[in-house]
């Protein structure tokens, strides 16, 4: 039988501050949902679920220390430095 362990990952304070500052300039309020790691016990198989930050009904999937942001899934991505422009354009 497979046993799945889940461990919650907290958003780093650095990432939260960066997003809060960008949202402050864009006059929007973000909501945060922590990511997690799911591991199948007894194997080396794991899935890392990213942090989900919702801004204006759009979900931004972010990993700590990663420059790419995925938008509403993994099909579209932007660089973190372009987040302010993307928020303002949508």
């Amino acid at each position: 039988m497979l046993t799945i362990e889940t461990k919650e990952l907290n958003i780093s304070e650095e990432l939260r501050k960066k997003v809060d500052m960008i949202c402050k300039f864009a006059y929007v309020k973000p909501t945060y949902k922590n990511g997690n790691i799911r591991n199948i016990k007894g194997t080396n198989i794991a899935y890392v679920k990213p942090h989900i930050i919702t801004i204006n009904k759009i979900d931004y999937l972010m990993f700590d220390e990663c420059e790419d942001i995925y938008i509403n899934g993994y099909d579209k991505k932007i660089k973190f430095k372009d987040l302010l422009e993307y928020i303002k354009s949508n």
Side-chain angles (χ1 to χ4, degrees):
M1 172 166 251
L2 296 176
T3 304
I4 299 175
E5 296 176 330
T6 302
K7 178 183 175 189
E8 186 171 354
L9 298 173
N10 292 320
I11 296 173
S12 69
E13 197 60 36
E14 180 182 351
L15 179 60
R16 185 180 290 268
K17 284 180 182 180
K18 286 180 183 179
V19 172
D20 284 342
M21 184 64 69
I22 289 170
C23 290
K24 185 177 179 180
F25 286 123
Y27 302 105
V28 294
K29 178 143 176 61
T31 56
Y32 296 94
K33 183 176 178 188
N34 289 329
N36 59 46
I37 296 176
R38 293 185 180 169
N39 184 25
I40 299 175
K41 199 170 185 175
T43 70
N44 63 349
I45 299 171
Y47 171 73
V48 179
K49 182 178 177 186
H51 307 297
I52 300 172
I53 301 170
T54 305
I55 304 168
N56 293 338
K57 299 181 182 177
I58 298 174
D59 290 335
Y60 297 91
L61 285 65
M62 299 183 191
F63 295 97
D64 287 326
E65 301 177 16
C66 184
E67 289 299 314
D68 293 327
I69 299 173
Y70 298 91
I71 301 166
N72 287 331
Y74 294 104
D75 294 336
K76 184 176 181 180
K77 72 178 179 178
I78 60 171
K79 294 291 183 186
F80 191 86
K81 64 182 179 72
D82 300 327
L83 180 59
L84 179 60
E85 292 175 26
Y86 189 85
I87 292 171
K88 285 183 175 182
S89 69
N90 288 310

